[in-house]
Amino acid sequence: MIAIGSDHGGFELKQEVIKHLQERNIEYKDCGTYTKDSCDYPVFAKKVAEAVVNKECELGILICGTGIGISIAANKVKGIRAALCHDCFSAQATKEHNNANVLAMGARVIGPGLALKIVDTFLDTPFSNDERHIRRIELIED
Ligand code: RB5
């Protein structure tokens, strides 16, 4: 199960990502926002982050205008490693090296075509399980 959330700036792209998850038969939990009305991105960052740390969902996807605010907010939740990615190389590397559990994107930065490729890369790339990467992740969480 994938937790997904956005603010108003990311609302339309969130709907595109949800459509894509449906097409791939991937279960998701839509944590909002549910309209284009102006709202506060930390609220949705927290909802998605909590669904991931509570293990209700394995991974999260967060979208705001830039992806910056919503990733900063998600990374305040203990156990969250949110990665802001606007290219597929970063999406692959952050799963392999950082075992990122939340993908953040900015809907005002990239278009839906690239965003969906980034989502696929993030979801389909496993963690390397390399000892050095495990050690470094543990150092972050200390
Ligand atoms: C909302 O206007 C915008 O500030 C927000 O979506 C995001 O870009 C914040 O980092």
Side-chain angles (χ1 to χ4, degrees):
M1 175 98 85
I2 306 298
I4 183 164
S6 76
D7 72 352
H8 55 288
F11 174 74
E12 285 185 3
L13 181 56
K14 173 169 71 71
Q15 300 314 110
E16 294 270 352
V17 173
I18 285 174
K19 208 171 103 199
H20 185 67
L21 294 176
Q22 288 169 342
E23 283 165 5
R24 286 195 54 180
N25 288 315
I26 294 173
E27 283 191 312
Y28 62 92
K29 175 182 175 160
D30 185 354
C31 297
T33 185
Y34 305 111
T35 73
K36 287 185 198 169
D37 295 345
S38 182
C39 60
D40 301 327
Y41 58 81
V43 172
F44 305 97
K46 199 169 175 201
K47 284 185 184 180
V48 165
E50 282 175 355
V52 172
V53 293
N54 295 341
K55 301 199 186 315
E56 185 188 351
C57 297
E58 299 94 63
L59 295 170
I61 299 174
L62 283 168
I63 308 166
C64 68
T66 60
I68 297 171
I70 211 156
S71 59
I72 291 172
N75 277 315
K76 294 287 180 188
V77 177
K78 192 169 169 50
I80 290 297
R81 292 176 303 281
L84 174 58
C85 298
H86 290 134
D87 64 88
C88 293
F89 175 82
S90 301
Q92 181 181 333
T94 198
K95 280 298 289 296
E96 289 175 345
H97 293 207
N98 317 123
N99 199 13
N101 49 16
V102 172
L103 168 68
M105 298 184 291
R108 295 174 187 158
V109 182
I110 53 170
L114 176 56
L116 297 183
K117 289 275 183 206
I118 291 169
V119 166
D120 284 343
T121 304
F122 185 80
L123 297 183
D124 297 342
T125 303
F127 177 48
S128 67
N129 260 306
D130 284 351
E131 185 277 329
R132 70 185 190 285
H133 293 312
I134 293 170
R135 182 181 67 244
R136 289 165 190 161
I137 292 164
E138 283 172 357
L139 284 168
I140 295 171
E141 291 179 352
D142 272 351

